[in-house]
Amino acid sequence: MYLFFEDKKIVLVSKNSIDGYSSFLKIAYPILTHLKLPSTLFICPGFLLEKETRGKLGILSGESFLDLACLRAMCQHRNITIGAHSFDHIDYSKSSISEINLDIEKLVSFFNDNFMDIPNSFAYPQGRFNNAADGIVTQTFPHRLSTIGGI
C-alpha cells in the first residue's frame, strides 16, 4: 500500500483493494476508517469461496482472502463500498460472450445472496477488456474501471 500526498489530498494506491485479500482488513481498512476516506474493495467471490484458488494465481501460502463475515462487517462502515472484480478472475478480453454472461450471473447471484445490493462498480481483471465485454458489463455495472485506457 502506498500513501501519496498530492496538493493537500491523500491518494491511496493499494493492491489490497483488489481481489479481496485479507491484508485489506489488516492494513488498508484501519487507515481508511481512521482518516474517514471513502474506499471501494473490489472482490472476486470465487476467491472468497474457494481458498484453493490461490494456487491458480501462484499466490503465496501466507496470503489469504477475506471471509464473508469480515466483508459484511466492513460493508457496515459508510465509507467502505464493495465493487465487483469478476467472479472467478477471468480475462474478459479473451472470454466468450457466454463465459462473460455466466461470470456476471454468478456475481449477481453472489451479491443478491450475501449483500442484497449489486455493486455499481466493476474493475476488470488484469485491467483487460474489449468492446463486446464492456457492452455486456455495462448492462449490470454502470461504473467500470481498468488499468488500460478506453473506458
Side-chain angles (χ1 to χ4, degrees):
M1 176 173 56
Y2 306 95
L3 283 175
F4 297 96
F5 294 89
E6 189 176 278
D7 296 325
K8 298 182 182 177
K9 294 181 199 169
I10 298 173
V11 178
L12 176 72
V13 178
S14 172
K15 97 168 195 143
N16 302 2
S17 60
I18 298 289
D19 296 335
Y21 289 112
S22 61
S23 56
F24 179 85
L25 181 64
K26 296 172 191 164
I27 299 169
Y29 182 75
I31 294 169
L32 295 167
T33 54
H34 176 74
L35 296 174
K36 296 183 174 116
L37 294 173
S39 176
T40 300
L41 172 62
F42 292 93
I43 63 167
C44 292
F47 291 177
L48 305 176
L49 301 174
E50 298 178 30
K51 301 284 186 173
E52 66 269 11
T53 303
R54 290 180 231 161
K56 289 182 187 176
L57 297 177
I59 295 170
L60 301 174
S61 60
E63 295 183 84
S64 62
F65 295 98
L66 293 165
D67 61 29
L68 286 173
C70 288
L71 219 46
R72 285 186 190 112
M74 281 193 292
C75 288
Q76 300 307 311
H77 193 281
R78 67 176 189 195
N79 285 336
I80 306 292
T81 57
I82 301 296
H85 190 48
S86 84
F87 191 86
D88 286 317
H89 210 270
I90 64 172
D91 183 340
Y92 276 47
S93 70
K94 295 179 181 176
S95 300
S96 69
I97 290 173
S98 62
E99 290 171 319
I100 294 169
N101 279 324
L102 177 61
D103 194 71
I104 291 174
E105 286 174 23
K106 288 164 45 177
L107 274 171
V108 169
S109 291
F110 172 82
F111 285 106
N112 283 335
D113 292 346
N114 294 287
F115 297 100
M116 312 254 290
D117 294 329
I118 297 170
N120 289 326
S121 301
F122 181 91
Y124 285 99
Q126 300 99 28
R128 292 184 275 224
F129 66 97
N130 57 37
N131 289 339
D134 196 47
I136 296 166
V137 171
T138 303
Q139 294 172 23
T140 306
F141 304 100
H143 305 289
R144 289 117 35 243
L145 304 146
S146 174
T147 54
I148 300 168
I151 297 182

